Amino acid sequence: MTALTLSTAGAATLRADALVVGVAKGAGSKSGDLVLAPGAEAVDKAFGGKLAAVLATLGASGAEGELTKVPAPEGLKAPVVVAVGLGAAPEKNGAYDAEALRRAAGAAARSLAGAKKAGFALPIASVEDAEAIAEGALLGAYAFTAYQAGENKLAPKDAKAGGPKLPLGEVAVLGAKPRDKAFKAAAERALAVAEEINRARDLVNTPPNDLYPESFAAVATAAGKEHGVKVQVFDEKALVKGGFGGILGVGQGAARGPRLVKLAYTHPKAEKTLALVGKGITYDSGGISLKPAGHNETMKCDMAGAAAVFATVVSAARLGLRVNVTGWLALAENMPSGSATRPGDVLRMYSGKTVEVLNTDAEGRLVLADALTRASEEKPDAIVDVATLTGAMVLALGNRTFGIMANDDAFRTSIHEIADEVGEASWPMPLPADLRKGMDSPTADIANMGERMGGGLVAGLFLKEFVGEGIAWAHLDIAGPAFHEGAPYGYTPKGGTGSAIRTLVRLAERTADGDLG
């Protein structure tokens, strides 16, 4: 993991492989002109006051995420200057948006893979700015290299080791106040949350032959021991005894059995309890309702919701939040075989309700339903489930925005505001009562499919049926942003992204402060 320091050194005297400065598009009368962001003063001085002109000559425009590298002149200890675009400059005396700083730091850190240390001299007007820069840089420095060999056994023995570049080794944030308690706390928070997001990304990116319900449960158990989180694993025998028909029904076609994992972080002075439920389909073939060719290749990511819940609980423990946070990971492989659930089968869920399975590829709602019922039994103050649940939500909101549904409008609004605050794109979605009728079944209490149009909302209505009476509940459908298949941008890598974790951690912090929404 990339190290993080709040450096007391100035930009000119810092010994590092590179210095990162911000540039922006000028505002007002200088609109369109390239301007240097605060923090670049010492670097500009070393360039004789001509850094902006040099960068403009090289084509820099200040556009968000744009990178321009130039050799450093005498007067700087670092050999390279990296200018990163921040977008439009704020009006006079205005501050740069925290998310713009986060993305810029991420883009710069990603471009410095292989370097040992880089100084980030981006504009800091507040503690929040310093935290955003640190968090963005740590997330941007991420790389998943576990399956890329650093040594080729077939190569000549005297050949140099190959393999991918390692992530940036150390992020030094300049312009913060290392001895200030607020800045130190912000850096510690950025490091803890970024490390857990990156661990969740690793889980999402791990091939399904290595990450399956039992091995995921083992990762959670090990992390629990390390961070003081109590972990309980319900294996197949316990699931059968408990009557978890949804989880068992989804997992019964796989050679490797399902698991339900409970993670419990408790604080002795906590007054509120937040329950989180994550969909953990470690591989989704669609089951008997097999996915068509071209739709299977990324289905290792179908456990991203469980990874987000896992990361959030561990983050809460590492931050020592004054709130009880319980995570439920509903883990299964959805595979076709002679023992797999068939379309037309009826499952008896943990709640006692029966579900007619019309499509085995609508499996996530089945494992979540059991976990939601079990979580409700403990009477938490609120429940949030997070899942890569429906392709319909991707069609509705695209690849970068997750949908929020809830049984309480104020709670839904609160989560939307939190997501916006931490820089995660989301949108509130309704739960239209008229769509419930489409799930009526002549055979069972409810079917796992309803109307095709509004399919993401139908899935939310299904889940609502399994939430305990009087408990505030929200459903986050992260099917779009959980796994990024395009080129990296900002602090977002190719592959697993860690979607919704920052939102859930901030929700836990607000709950600890007595503001549940």
Side-chain angles (χ1 to χ4, degrees):
M1 180 68 193
T2 302
L4 173 66
T5 57
L6 300 182
S7 180
T8 57
T13 58
L14 180 73
R15 294 187 180 277
D17 296 301
L19 279 174
V20 178
V21 298
V23 293
K25 295 180 178 181
S29 61
K30 292 185 178 180
S31 179
D33 293 343
L34 187 71
V35 297
L36 301 179
E41 293 85 358
V43 179
D44 186 39
K45 183 178 180 181
F47 276 86
K50 297 180 179 180
L51 178 56
V54 170
L55 294 170
T57 300
L58 294 173
S61 68
E64 185 176 311
E66 178 187 73
L67 293 165
T68 308
K69 294 184 180 181
V70 294
E74 291 185 10
L76 299 179
K77 297 294 184 182
V80 176
V81 173
V82 180
V84 59
L86 294 167
E91 296 296 329
K92 188 176 181 180
N93 299 324
Y96 283 86
D97 178 70
E99 177 63 7
L101 294 174
R102 193 180 289 114
R103 290 178 180 174
R110 184 163 39 80
S111 76
L112 292 168
K116 292 182 179 180
K117 181 178 180 179
F120 286 72
L122 295 171
I124 295 178
S126 65
V127 171
E128 290 75 22
D129 289 346
E131 183 175 342
I133 292 165
E135 188 176 70
L138 293 170
L139 294 176
Y142 172 81
F144 184 66
T145 61
Y147 291 82
Q148 297 175 358
E151 179 182 353
N152 184 352
K153 294 182 179 180
L154 299 179
K157 290 185 178 180
D158 60 349
K160 292 183 179 180
K165 288 183 178 180
L166 294 176
L168 173 63
E170 181 182 342
V171 169
V173 178
L174 309 181
K177 300 175 181 178
R179 296 182 180 87
D180 185 287
K181 289 183 178 180
F183 278 91
K184 289 174 66 176
E188 290 170 359
R189 182 189 184 280
L191 183 63
V193 175
E195 284 185 346
E196 295 312 318
I197 289 174
N198 286 339
R199 177 164 24 194
R201 289 170 167 180
D202 282 349
L203 288 168
V204 174
N205 290 328
T206 299
N209 56 316
D210 282 343
L211 188 74
Y212 43 91
E214 185 178 2
S215 63
F216 196 153
V219 170
T221 300
K225 290 179 180 178
E226 180 182 359
H227 296 291
V229 174
K230 185 178 180 180
V231 180
Q232 181 181 3
V233 179
F234 297 78
D235 60 14
E236 289 168 277
K237 185 176 180 180
L239 292 172
V240 170
K241 184 177 180 180
F244 291 88
I247 297 174
L248 288 166
V250 173
Q252 71 186 41
R256 293 176 290 204
R259 297 289 187 272
L260 176 63
V261 179
K262 177 186 177 183
L263 303 100
Y265 160 69
T266 57
H267 190 285
K269 296 183 179 180
E271 297 180 357
K272 297 286 186 179
T273 296
L274 178 65
L276 307 175
V277 176
K279 174 187 173 184
I281 303 300
T282 57
Y283 184 74
D284 182 18
S285 69
I288 296 296
S289 305
L290 194 66
K291 292 179 182 293
H295 290 74
N296 282 298
E297 289 76 7
T298 60
M299 282 301 102
K300 64 181 181 181
C301 79
D302 214 18
M303 36 58 65
V309 168
F310 167 57
T312 301
V313 177
V314 176
S315 293
R318 291 183 62 172
L319 297 173
L321 301 184
R322 192 170 171 172
V323 60
N324 297 329
V325 184
T326 302
W328 298 89
L329 315 182
L331 308 176
E333 282 187 324
N334 186 26
M335 298 292 287
S337 72
S339 61
T341 293
R342 297 152 293 223
D345 282 356
V346 173
L347 304 177
R348 185 171 295 278
M349 311 295 283
Y350 179 73
S351 68
K353 288 184 179 180
T354 55
V355 175
E356 182 180 11
V357 179
L358 299 180
N359 187 324
T360 63
D361 197 23
E363 84 298 330
R365 64 199 71 183
L366 298 175
V367 300
L368 287 173
D370 273 356
L372 284 167
T373 303
R374 180 63 183 84
S376 296
E377 288 182 341
E378 299 188 356
K379 304 296 182 183
D381 294 286
I383 298 176
V384 179
D385 77 73
V386 55
T388 49
L389 204 61
T390 65
M393 196 57 57
V394 184
L395 291 172
L397 298 178
N399 290 316
R400 297 190 182 185
T401 303
F402 62 77
I404 308 171
M405 285 154 265
N407 62 0
D408 180 277
D409 289 347
F411 191 40
R412 182 185 64 189
T413 298
S414 180
I415 293 176
H416 182 217
E417 291 173 348
I418 288 170
D420 185 61
E421 176 188 339
V422 301
E424 292 198 292
S426 69
W427 197 251
M429 303 292 284
L431 289 173
D434 61 285
L435 290 178
R436 169 60 182 85
K437 185 171 178 59
M439 290 184 284
D440 286 349
S441 166
T443 307
D445 295 322
I446 190 172
N448 77 328
M449 292 290 288
E451 294 182 29
R452 180 170 176 268
M453 300 303 174
L457 313 182
V458 170
L461 286 166
F462 180 92
L463 295 176
K464 183 181 177 183
E465 299 265 333
F466 297 87
V467 177
E469 189 71 26
I471 301 174
W473 158 80
H475 161 56
L476 312 185
D477 191 334
I478 61 170
F483 195 83
H484 179 55
E485 296 186 65
Y489 64 93
Y491 52 80
T492 301
K494 187 179 180 69
T497 65
S499 177
I501 295 171
R502 286 183 288 140
T503 297
L504 293 175
V505 171
R506 184 57 55 86
L507 174 64
E509 289 172 328
R510 282 201 181 183
T511 305
D513 293 337
D515 182 16
L516 190 56

